[in-house]
Amino acid sequence: MAAAEPQWVLMATGRSPTNIAVIKYWGKRDEALILPVNDSISVTLDPDHLSATTTVAASPAFPSDRMWLNGKEIELSGGRFQSCLREIRKRARDVEDKKKGIKIKKEDWEKLHVHIASYNNFPTAAGLASSAAGFACLVFTLGKLMNVNEDYGELSSIARQGSGSACRSIYGGFVKWCMGKNDNGSDSMAVQVVDESHWDELVIIIAVVSSKQKETSSTSGMRDSVETSPLLQYRAQTVVPGRILKMEEAIKNRDFDSFARLTCADSNQFHAVCLDTSPPIFYMNDTSHRIISLVEKWNHAEGTPQVAYTFDAGPNAVLIARNRKTATLLLQKLLYCFPPQDNDLDSYMLGDKSILSDAGLQSVADIEALPAPPEMKMPNQKFKGDVSYFICSRPGAGPKVLTDESHALIDSATGLAKG
Ligand code: ADE
């Protein structure tokens, strides 16, 4: 900001959740427009546990667009941010704030610069789709600031141009990203399958797996898979269309058996495509494989699936339990195998911490007293330190505006990110 006081600063703040795909998006047919080779379906996570909060501000005193992420200023030169800004600015309309005496004509928005401050309520570098929440939030909140009138489908198509999976974070509940057919991407957008209240007994436990390995970014991994994996073509054209129909049915009918089988099979096929890529990409590690084995054995022993697992482009496990009771049993098994490294249980379970007391686990001593899960290959083996922490969540709502000024991440007096 220039030394002179701004004439005025107009702000809006919004919050958007992250989402986890249960039918995976892997591979683009258009890199610049971010158009996928197949439809995908995701579950939106509760924003209280995993979300981005973004404040956008406009003022005639701002000489350029600027952005702060988690308190640190970052470059806004990236094409993806510019695409979102350009598409929302194009659709901006007249805005009047009588209380503040601000009047902006729609043609003025092209000349007004914005300041953006965003904060993730979960670790940004943990491989938990923070850019999905971030770009959905940016587009949603800019749309509010600039009084954009477009429906959520159109907003999802703009968010897609920031980060593909961001289009699915525009809605709560279960969401389908329709790949679309048009070359210009106008029909590649998200639709809601059911809202977050439809299947609210599901419990989602994320194991954030420790990893020293630098992972291949999704962008370059996808590009390599599209160029080299014959399995990717087969998956996109022959397997996914049928799975999408079955998954929508399973979700609408709350049919956990079908839901779990489809979710696990699709995660495994996505990782098979990664292995089929040249050179092969390894996103999962030994800890990921141990978690799969535990869940598979338990599901097999029960005769029907109790838990579904899915893994994105990294080693973290996302585990979806049929209900609260199953989730507590799952947590007991997980904590037996992956006990915390120190006595601080509070920082080992993030999100909905009440799952710990439901599972009868109030202290590290309670964890040490747990019986070995019968599913373990070697029951005496424990893997302390292999999981960094757990997050317990559930299906959640889509983006919302935060009207209370206390949520604003930009100081209205200076126009800069709050310290
Ligand atoms: N990338 C990761 N988190 C983000 C956020 N909150 N906003 C924009 N981009 C992001």
Side-chain angles (χ1 to χ4, degrees):
M1 170 103 43
E5 281 295 299
Q7 294 98 316
W8 49 259
V9 177
L10 188 68
M11 301 204 297
T13 300
R15 185 173 80 159
S16 295
T18 186
N19 72 81
I20 300 290
V22 291
I23 299 290
K24 299 294 187 194
Y25 151 52
W26 194 253
K28 299 185 186 82
R29 64 175 198 281
D30 185 308
E31 290 262 348
L33 290 170
I34 314 194
L35 301 177
V37 295
N38 58 259
D39 292 352
S40 53
I41 294 182
S42 58
V43 56
T44 296
L45 302 185
D46 187 334
D48 282 347
H49 308 141
L50 292 114
S51 61
T53 298
T54 301
T55 299
V56 288
S59 169
F62 295 166
S64 62
D65 295 334
R66 291 173 73 180
M67 175 160 181
W68 293 260
L69 177 57
N70 297 325
K72 274 214 182 100
E73 184 155 14
I74 60 165
E75 279 295 317
L76 254 185
S77 52
R80 292 170 170 222
F81 281 109
Q82 294 306 333
S83 297
C84 293
L85 277 168
R86 183 191 64 236
E87 292 303 314
I88 293 291
R89 273 194 177 114
K90 252 199 244 173
R91 293 163 174 82
R93 300 188 307 152
D94 294 357
V95 171
E96 184 167 9
D97 184 329
K98 285 199 172 119
K99 259 207 280 182
K100 290 187 178 155
I102 303 170
K103 226 175 171 173
I104 306 170
K105 301 295 287 172
K106 71 176 192 195
E107 54 275 14
D108 296 340
W109 284 111
E110 289 294 339
K111 292 168 270 161
L112 276 173
H113 288 291
V114 291
H115 284 182
I116 303 161
S118 191
Y119 167 80
N120 299 329
N121 68 352
F122 60 98
T124 299
L128 295 169
S130 55
S131 63
F135 279 103
C137 202
L138 176 66
V139 166
F140 176 81
T141 313
L142 274 174
K144 291 291 169 203
L145 179 78
M146 300 189 184
N147 196 21
V148 162
N149 198 23
E150 262 63 20
D151 60 25
Y152 276 28
E154 186 76 13
L155 290 183
S156 81
S157 186
I158 298 171
R160 188 201 77 231
Q161 295 171 57
S163 167
S165 52
C167 71
R168 297 187 308 241
S169 276
I170 289 289
Y171 296 100
F174 283 88
V175 184
K176 174 165 78 163
W177 174 9
C178 305
M179 61 180 285
K181 290 189 177 65
N182 299 344
D183 286 344
N184 67 1
S186 59
D187 58 347
S188 186
M189 58 175 70
V191 292
Q192 189 174 54
V193 179
V194 295
D195 73 16
E196 62 279 11
S197 65
H198 173 77
W199 204 354
D200 60 358
E201 64 265 45
L202 296 178
V203 178
I204 301 167
I205 295 179
I206 303 171
V208 177
V209 170
S210 319
S211 166
K212 280 158 230 94
Q213 196 186 311
K214 173 86 192 94
E215 281 143 26
T216 312
S217 80
S218 300
T219 305
S220 71
M222 271 186 211
R223 190 179 306 133
D224 291 350
S225 292
V226 168
E227 282 169 8
T228 66
S229 168
L231 180 56
L232 180 139
Q233 305 302 331
Y234 172 73
R235 164 180 164 72
Q237 286 158 24
T238 310
V239 180
V240 174
R243 273 191 189 158
I244 289 280
L245 294 174
K246 287 187 189 135
M247 182 59 96
E248 283 187 272
E249 275 304 297
I251 292 166
K252 284 180 183 155
N253 297 329
R254 296 187 209 93
D255 172 357
F256 189 79
D257 290 11
S258 303
F259 171 79
R261 288 187 221 283
L262 288 163
T263 298
C264 299
D266 204 67
S267 172
N268 290 333
Q269 189 174 68
F270 153 50
H271 290 278
V273 167
C274 294
L275 280 184
D276 191 44
T277 300
S278 177
I281 309 165
F282 308 101
Y283 283 125
M284 294 194 287
N285 64 16
D286 287 354
T287 309
S288 321
H289 294 147
R290 271 186 198 110
I291 294 173
I292 292 181
S293 161
L294 188 136
V295 171
E296 286 284 354
K297 283 188 188 144
W298 185 27
N299 284 346
H300 183 76
E302 293 290 333
T304 57
Q306 304 301 303
V307 175
Y309 57 80
T310 187
F311 293 78
D312 278 334
N316 299 337
V318 178
L319 303 163
I320 308 175
R322 186 183 266 281
N323 54 38
R324 190 86 180 169
K325 179 86 191 77
T326 321
T328 60
L329 295 173
L330 171 67
L331 192 64
Q332 289 168 346
K333 292 173 194 292
L334 289 169
L335 288 176
Y336 177 91
C337 301
F338 307 104
Q341 259 181 321
D342 51 37
N343 272 324
D344 185 10
L345 209 48
D346 199 50
S347 59
Y348 201 51
M349 174 57 73
L350 309 183
D352 176 7
K353 291 171 188 283
S354 68
I355 189 81
L356 277 174
S357 44
D358 283 14
L361 303 169
Q362 317 272 20
S363 67
V364 173
D366 294 334
I367 293 174
E368 280 164 359
L370 281 168
E375 296 81 21
M376 280 188 80
K377 236 185 235 159
M378 284 187 277
N380 292 329
Q381 236 180 341
K382 297 193 179 191
F383 301 93
K384 207 178 253 187
D386 287 3
V387 169
S388 303
Y389 53 90
F390 293 95
I391 308 173
C392 182
S393 188
R394 62 174 84 88
K400 67 171 191 182
V401 176
L402 303 177
T403 43
D404 191 322
E405 292 241 341
S406 66
H407 293 291
L409 300 173
I410 290 178
D411 183 331
S412 61
T414 64
L416 301 174
K418 286 180 182 170

